[in-house]
Amino acid sequence: MGDKLLIAGNWKMHKTPQQTREYFEQFLPQVEGVNGVEILICPPFIDIPAAVEMTKDTPVKIGGQNCYYEKEGAFTGEISPVMLKAAGCEYVILGHSERRHIFGESDELINKKVISALEEGLRVILCVGETLQERESGLTFTVVESQLKLGLSGVEDKLSQIEIAYEPVWAIGTGVAAKPEDAQEVHKFIYSVLENLNPEGAKKVRVLYGGSVKPANAEAILSQPHIKGVLVGGASLKPDSFAEIVKIGQRLTA
Ligand code: PEP
């Protein structure tokens, strides 16, 4: 998708359609003219039509936070990649740690979703990351490598449609981000795993960092050589703080 940093917001289960409209009324003027970074917001499904409508004719892109792997059928409560695409989404986040740990999603299930979303022409942000216990047991690289290989199984030739988000589970929603140099070390490792899967394709992947990114730490994180964007949860909910992070990315690009 090019060399631009990707600044992505994950709203999780926050905001109604009305609140979505109010958000963009405040956010869009603040990022007007920003063209050095790619901006993405992933709202809850119910807010996607309002988000797409509000960001029409702007560079801001909209994505889903999850999807199922079937196109349609008797899958109560699920949504398909076809539906996300038809609603105006360009991206979908898959394998978020909350999906893995709260809803019990396995690497095998996530891989089916990745395959299906790519088939529908969505760009995929595949999330990987270790828990605190895994980190303390020295398993960070093992866990991340396994999540990457299983999640990308069968789509190694489609890396140009994929971004990876490295999101250490212990840093998500805790206010404690990984130290930029620690994140950098894992990002470099992720690129080495991707290069083994597909040397040419790996160059096209942006590996984003996620986990308590906020305006105060975004510059240090985005300045690391192997960090090509951020996936922001809590700080993306406020238009001012998310716009601030976007502008930091823009400044670093200029
Ligand atoms: C996320 O939801 O992907 C995330 C990183 O959340 P937070 O920024 O709140 O830690």
Side-chain angles (χ1 to χ4, degrees):
M1 194 63 212
D3 300 329
K4 288 183 179 179
L5 294 174
L6 176 58
I7 311 294
N10 170 18
W11 285 1
K12 313 193 185 196
M13 199 172 71
H14 292 282
K15 298 191 191 296
T16 63
Q18 180 56 27
Q19 290 168 333
T20 299
R21 285 188 200 95
E22 288 162 9
Y23 180 95
F24 283 110
E25 270 162 20
Q26 293 174 39
F27 177 71
L28 290 172
Q30 298 189 57
V31 297
E32 218 181 303
V34 169
N35 53 18
V37 301
E38 194 180 347
I39 308 171
L40 169 69
I41 297 225
C42 299
F45 298 136
I46 193 79
D47 300 326
I48 288 172
V52 168
E53 183 195 313
M54 292 296 292
T55 55
K56 193 166 152 263
D57 302 325
T58 80
V60 178
K61 296 178 178 171
I62 302 301
Q65 296 174 13
N66 179 33
C67 66
Y68 196 52
Y69 60 82
E70 295 284 0
K71 288 187 200 312
E72 62 177 9
F75 305 104
T76 301
E78 294 294 324
I79 192 158
S80 76
V82 182
M83 293 165 180
L84 287 182
K85 188 86 181 158
C89 289
E90 291 185 44
Y91 281 83
V92 63
I93 299 171
L94 293 172
H96 190 279
S97 74
E98 286 148 20
R99 299 300 316 171
R100 292 178 189 266
H101 297 291
I102 302 175
F103 300 101
E105 291 195 7
S106 65
D107 286 304
E108 290 69 27
L109 174 63
I110 293 161
N111 177 241
K112 286 184 178 172
K113 295 179 175 198
V114 170
I115 293 169
S116 170
L118 293 174
E119 269 169 13
E120 293 310 323
L122 287 165
R123 296 186 61 80
V124 166
I125 300 176
L126 173 66
C127 301
V128 299
E130 80 288 359
T131 63
L132 185 58
Q133 203 187 5
E134 287 162 345
R135 171 158 282 254
E136 286 173 346
S137 310
L139 291 173
T140 299
F141 289 172
T142 311
V143 169
V144 166
E145 180 169 12
S146 159
Q147 289 174 338
L148 283 171
K149 285 187 173 162
L150 294 171
L152 297 174
S153 174
V155 293
E156 295 86 350
D157 61 333
K158 295 194 174 138
L159 293 188
S160 62
Q161 266 181 270
I162 297 170
E163 329 290 350
I164 303 296
Y166 169 57
E167 300 207 306
V169 179
W170 46 271
I172 298 182
T174 59
V176 184
K179 289 197 193 98
E181 54 278 18
D182 290 345
Q184 159 62 22
E185 194 188 6
V186 182
H187 278 237
K188 203 170 167 198
F189 173 73
I190 290 173
Y191 274 108
S192 74
V193 174
L194 297 174
E195 273 157 27
N196 277 335
L197 297 178
N198 175 349
E200 272 312 299
K203 294 182 190 148
K204 310 220 169 82
V205 178
R206 286 173 294 187
V207 181
L208 320 178
Y209 168 79
S212 297
V213 175
K214 48 197 165 208
N217 60 20
E219 177 162 358
I221 290 168
L222 284 168
S223 300
Q224 298 296 322
H226 291 84
I227 299 186
K228 306 293 184 189
V230 283
L231 180 54
V232 185
S236 74
L237 291 172
K238 294 203 185 92
D240 296 1
S241 60
F242 192 54
E244 194 53 45
I245 295 170
V246 168
K247 285 186 267 185
I248 289 166
Q250 165 86 358
R251 232 181 16 245
L252 290 171
T253 305

